[in-house]
Each structure stands twice: as structure tokens, then as C-alpha cells.
Amino acid sequence: MVIREMLRNGVADKIIPWDDCAYIYNSLFNSHLIRSAGFFAAAANLNFAHVPLANIHGTLAMLLSGDRIWTPHLIPGFYLFLVVLSIFRSLRGAVIIAPIGFVLCVVSIPAFFLFASTLKTDFLAGAILFILVVEVFLVDGATFSVWRRLYTALLAALFVLCKPTAFYFPLLLGLVFVLQHLRDWSIEGRSALNRRRLAITAGLVLLPVLVYAAIVVPNLDFFRFYITQALSNPLWQSDIALRDRLLFYLPFATPARSWGGGLTSFLLIGFGFLVAVARHHMKRTDLAAACAIVVIVFACYAPLTISPQYSQQLGAPLAGSILALVLLALRIAMRDRWLQLPVATGLLVTSAVTFEMPVQRWIHWPGDSYSVDDVAQASQIVQDFSRTIIAQSPVHGPAIYLNHSPIPYFNFVIEIYRQSGAFVGMSQPYVFDPATIDRAVSSAHFVLLHDAPGTTDRYTDLGHKARAHILLRDDLFELARASIRQHNYVLYKVGPIPVTQ
């Protein structure tokens, strides 16, 4: 269903959205290098640093599929399976419609479920943290077996690989495993403090730190530059009031687009939980798990309140931890045999009535709406301009300079690779610095400029300024132009303008 909706919205087959298009391009590049030189010879030049897990997924998909660009979108289905499995494992023994209802509830929450339709591992981090917390604190088991510890260790490594630039992730994971040990100590007493258990906990705490270091240390200059830009560049900063920042990620304070119809199910689960607690169905283990998960929720929330950025994807780990807490409440409600069927039935009904399938959109026009014709027209622009660049290029693999555009510009270079097998150098302005822009344009073979109808945001404003400055040059030769929704695209060749005879 997810893939069908993505194809219907043009995500996976026509226009690839930000930031998926960048990951697809990196994956094509990695796949090409590995096929050409072999993995070990190409390893030093592979592009994995920024979002390792997304690029690993994409590269594997390209290698296995022969560079079919839609195949990386199949991989989130594996994590969706793990999410569903963790829900059913945690509600083992409950009436079957309870986990089904909770799965429908989870699917309807964009702040969490968008991981299934995007390659952005920001969202996937929320799903992995949810699985990890459920496995550690909610799944029943007489012993925490070696295999379960290996499973949680693997989840921890994957979580760190989602976004190494989120430098609090290793600390968050260390906190999860420390809380796990404290939970065991609060229940088992001194038996939880034996050397073997302490050594295992120490190993689990160190694992994400070591994985993080293995990615960051060799690429320290890149991460220093990226984090500095993210924290200081006005393009990625959000000037909003503290109150709005504090409320943006919370379920009952955020817009419906972040939490969707899942909030109705939350109310029902909360009612069942309160009744079950009043009827003494909350165990000591539940209280310990609840305290641990609440600490994790606040640990996910605190960095968001001080970050200069705010966006839905940054809140995915918070959404995952909140959902784990809600699932714990449902577990407790399901222990009351008088409540089990009414609450489970109500959950299934409310989740079905409010069900929706949040899918990432390919483009963000003002008003955030588009039609099938827009998708087709934008795709045609990409194909036509790419053919023109290939035909007019003086080299195999030209350099292109672009300003900001609703059509993510990586779509052009992906299409050029698909048509010619050439990888293209590209750059764009991140700040309005005329000298830097001039140097970049002078070193490019082509310039692709977008002109939006009016200034709607800081990206468009920067694009207007860059475009106006670039058009002062006398070495641009127009090759093609096209329009979509009053958005104009003009392709120029850089160099001496030919003299007509």
C-alpha cells in the first residue's frame, strides 16, 4: 500500500523529493564505483558519511537491482515489519484485535510513520528507537537472552548510523542501556549487579559510541563544517517563539499533520490505562518500565527545545519514544479481562475510522498541493533539460550551477546519469556571497536558474538574489526554458556567446 501511494504521488518513479534524491545520487555513485573497481579498491572514495544508513540501503539496492532508482524505497518495508513484530510481541496474550488496532493507529501518525515512504533516516531513527525501547522494556521474557542482546546491539548501531550529525544519539542510546540495568536492579536487587551483567551493560553502552566514532573520526572536517552550518546558517534556522518551539513536537499541541488521527486512539488507551491502574493491574515491572521510558522521552525532547532548527523529521525519535509509552499503557489495560475486549474493540474501530496513509510528497509548492499533471510536467522538464545538457556538454560529466528550486535539483543529475552514464559536478548557493557565486559559475559548464513568482521563504529569497546576480554576467548563452505553475526554469551554457553569421 505504501509503495502504491508513493507511485501514485510520483515519489518513487518520476520526481524524487528532498533529501531522497541526494541519497539516490550518492547510491548510484557508490554502486558505479564498486562495479568498476571493486569494493576494497573503491572504499576510500565511497560516499557514506552524512547519512550512512540511507546510503548503505541505497547502494545495496542499486547493486542488487541494476541501478533501478525506485528500489531503495522497498527497504523501509523491512523496518515496518520489525515495528509490527515488536507490537505483536509486546501484546502477546492480548486479544488479537488489540495489536491490529495499535498498528493501524501507528500507521496514521505522520510524525512516526513517514519512515516507510522516505529514505530520510531521520524518520527511521524514530522507528528504530521505538523497536529498541519496546524490546528492552516491554517484551516479556524470563531472561534477556544472548540473541536478544545482540538484536538490541544491532538496533543501537543502526540508530547511530541514521544521523551521525545528531551528536546526542550515542548519549541517548547509552542512557537506554543504563536505564535497562537500573530497571533490572530495581526488580531483581543485588543479583543484577554481578560482573557479567555489568560487563554486558558496559559493552552495550560503549557500542553506539564506538560505531559513532568509526564514522565521525575519519570525516571530522566534514562533520565540523556540517554541524557549524546547521547551527549558524540562516537557511536552516527557525525564528520562532520559545512557546511554539516547546509545543511543536508534542502530540496534543502540534498540528494534525504531525500526529493525525492517532490522537483519538491515545485518548481511548489512556482511559483504559487509568481504569486498569485503578483496578490494581499495574505491576512493579510496569512502573519501572514507565519511569525508564519517561526519562527517554524527556531525553529525546530536551535537545529539540534548544536546537535552532525545527522540523517534523527531527522529532521522530521523540515520537517513537512516546508511542512506546502509549504501547505500555495499552499492555497494562489488556491485563484487565473486563476491559480487554471493549478497549481493544474501541481501539480497532477508532483507528480504522481515523486511518490514513501518510506518504512523503515529491515537491513543496506554496500551499503544499499539486496535481498529477504537475508531476508529469516537472518530469518532462527534467528529461528535456537533461537531454539538452548531454547534447551541448563539451565534456563527459559536466559541472552545473543551480539556484534553489521546487524541483529538487538532484533529479536533473540523476536523469543525466540515466541517459548518459555520466556523473555531474554540481553546486548551489547556501549564502548570498557574490564572489563565491562568481567563482562557482565560472567553473561550471551550465547554469540552471529557477525564478519563483514572489518571495515566499528564505530559500526563494536566496534564489532570487543569486539569480539576479548571475544574470549580470555576459558569458551566459540560453539553451532552453520551461514553465510550470508560473515557476520559470532557464538553462544556460557558460562560455563565450557564439557569434551569428
Side-chain angles (χ1 to χ4, degrees):
M1 289 178 65
V2 174
I3 296 297
R4 185 191 67 187
E5 287 298 306
M6 291 168 65
L7 292 172
R8 189 174 69 84
N9 282 274
V11 168
D13 65 333
K14 295 185 182 297
I15 299 295
I16 310 170
W18 286 108
D19 296 327
D20 291 12
C21 56
Y23 308 149
I24 292 291
Y25 186 70
N26 290 339
S27 300
L28 287 169
F29 177 79
N30 292 338
S31 172
H32 176 79
L33 277 185
I34 293 171
R35 286 200 185 97
S36 301
F39 177 79
F40 292 104
N45 297 314
L46 296 178
N47 192 340
F48 286 111
H50 177 208
V51 275
L53 193 57
N55 289 323
I56 290 170
H57 288 162
T59 301
L60 288 174
M62 296 301 175
L63 288 170
L64 294 174
S65 69
D67 288 349
R68 288 178 173 83
I69 64 171
W70 54 270
T71 53
H73 289 92
L74 298 175
I75 293 178
F78 168 72
Y79 295 96
L80 177 57
F81 167 77
L82 294 182
V83 167
V84 174
L85 178 65
S86 67
I87 292 171
F88 273 82
R89 278 166 57 82
S90 66
L91 292 175
R92 189 183 306 161
V95 61
I96 188 63
I97 57 176
I100 294 175
F102 194 79
V103 168
L104 292 178
C105 168
V106 164
V107 169
S108 299
I109 298 175
F112 178 80
F113 189 70
L114 279 174
F115 81 87
S117 64
T118 177
L119 304 183
K120 288 182 181 178
T121 44
D122 307 67
F123 284 112
L124 184 57
I128 292 175
L129 184 62
F130 170 81
I131 299 167
L132 177 63
V133 172
V134 170
E135 187 66 36
V136 169
F137 295 105
L138 272 67
V139 173
D140 293 323
T143 59
F144 205 75
S145 67
V146 173
W147 288 111
R148 281 183 66 189
R149 291 191 187 278
L150 289 174
Y151 180 43
T152 56
L154 176 61
L155 291 172
L158 292 174
F159 182 74
V160 170
L161 292 175
C162 283
K163 193 78 170 180
T165 48
F167 45 84
Y168 71 94
F169 275 16
L171 301 177
L172 179 61
L173 288 173
L175 176 65
V176 170
F177 293 124
V178 168
L179 289 170
Q180 175 195 357
H181 196 84
L182 291 175
R183 185 276 311 268
D184 294 344
W185 173 73
S186 70
I187 295 170
E188 302 173 22
R190 295 179 61 86
S191 62
L193 298 179
N194 66 68
R195 291 181 180 180
R196 180 175 175 273
R197 296 276 289 274
L198 287 171
I200 291 174
T201 299
L204 290 173
V205 170
L206 284 175
L207 175 69
V209 176
L210 294 175
V211 172
Y212 185 79
I215 292 294
V216 171
V217 172
N219 303 282
L220 195 57
D221 290 340
F222 165 77
F223 282 103
R224 186 185 296 114
F225 171 79
Y226 185 92
I227 293 172
T228 300
Q229 284 289 309
L231 296 178
S232 62
N233 193 316
L235 277 180
W236 294 294
Q237 291 185 359
S238 305
D239 185 19
I240 62 171
L242 177 61
R243 177 181 178 276
D244 295 333
R245 188 182 300 278
L246 293 175
L247 296 178
F248 180 78
Y249 298 100
L250 300 180
F252 291 97
T254 53
R257 63 181 296 178
S258 293
W259 286 86
L263 296 180
T264 307
S265 301
F266 283 10
L267 291 172
L268 178 64
I269 293 171
F271 173 76
F273 165 74
L274 292 175
V275 173
V277 170
R279 289 166 57 87
H280 307 291
H281 288 286
M282 187 171 186
K283 300 178 180 178
R284 184 180 177 185
T285 54
D286 298 325
L287 180 60
C291 291
I293 298 175
V294 167
V295 172
I296 294 169
V297 168
F298 277 102
C300 292
Y301 180 59
L304 301 176
T305 63
I306 61 175
S307 171
Q309 305 177 27
Y310 83 107
S311 66
Q312 192 179 44
Q313 66 209 41
L314 298 180
L318 175 64
S321 58
I322 290 174
L323 283 173
L325 193 61
V326 175
L327 182 58
L328 173 61
L330 180 60
R331 264 174 60 91
I332 295 168
M334 289 298 98
R335 289 209 188 95
D336 191 317
R337 64 189 183 92
W338 298 107
L339 280 177
Q340 187 173 113
L341 189 58
V343 171
T345 303
L347 175 61
L348 182 63
V349 170
T350 55
S351 297
V353 169
T354 60
F355 179 79
E356 58 182 335
M357 180 73 73
V359 173
Q360 169 154 244
R361 306 174 72 84
W362 71 278
I363 202 166
H364 299 283
W365 298 109
D368 200 31
S369 63
Y370 63 89
S371 67
V372 174
D373 290 339
D374 293 329
V375 177
Q377 192 175 353
S379 180
Q380 192 63 49
I381 291 173
V382 170
Q383 293 177 38
D384 291 345
F385 279 28
S386 299
R387 277 193 291 268
T388 301
I389 290 171
I390 294 168
Q392 295 288 334
S393 177
V395 297
H396 185 71
I400 306 176
Y401 190 83
L402 313 97
N403 69 341
H404 294 278
S405 156
I407 300 176
Y409 67 79
F410 270 99
N411 284 275
F412 292 95
V413 296
I414 290 171
E415 184 62 27
I416 291 170
Y417 173 75
R418 294 174 72 184
Q419 292 186 22
S420 69
F423 287 101
V424 175
M426 54 193 162
S427 57
Q428 68 166 354
Y430 291 103
V431 293
F432 182 66
D433 181 356
T436 302
I437 292 173
D438 285 336
R439 285 194 299 270
V441 172
S442 296
S443 64
H445 298 96
F446 299 93
V447 172
L448 177 54
L449 296 181
H450 161 254
D451 183 26
T455 301
T456 56
D457 55 41
R458 62 192 70 184
Y459 285 96
T460 309
D461 182 53
L462 175 59
H464 277 308
K465 291 179 180 178
R467 174 181 175 275
H469 179 75
I470 292 170
L471 290 179
L472 296 176
R473 299 175 65 99
D474 59 2
D475 60 347
L476 300 180
F477 175 61
E478 183 178 323
L479 296 176
R481 65 170 56 229
S483 298
I484 175 174
R485 281 201 174 192
Q486 300 180 323
H487 289 249
N488 301 313
Y489 289 85
V490 185
L491 176 65
Y492 298 92
K493 189 173 183 179
V494 181
I497 298 177
V499 178
T500 57
Q501 301 295 326

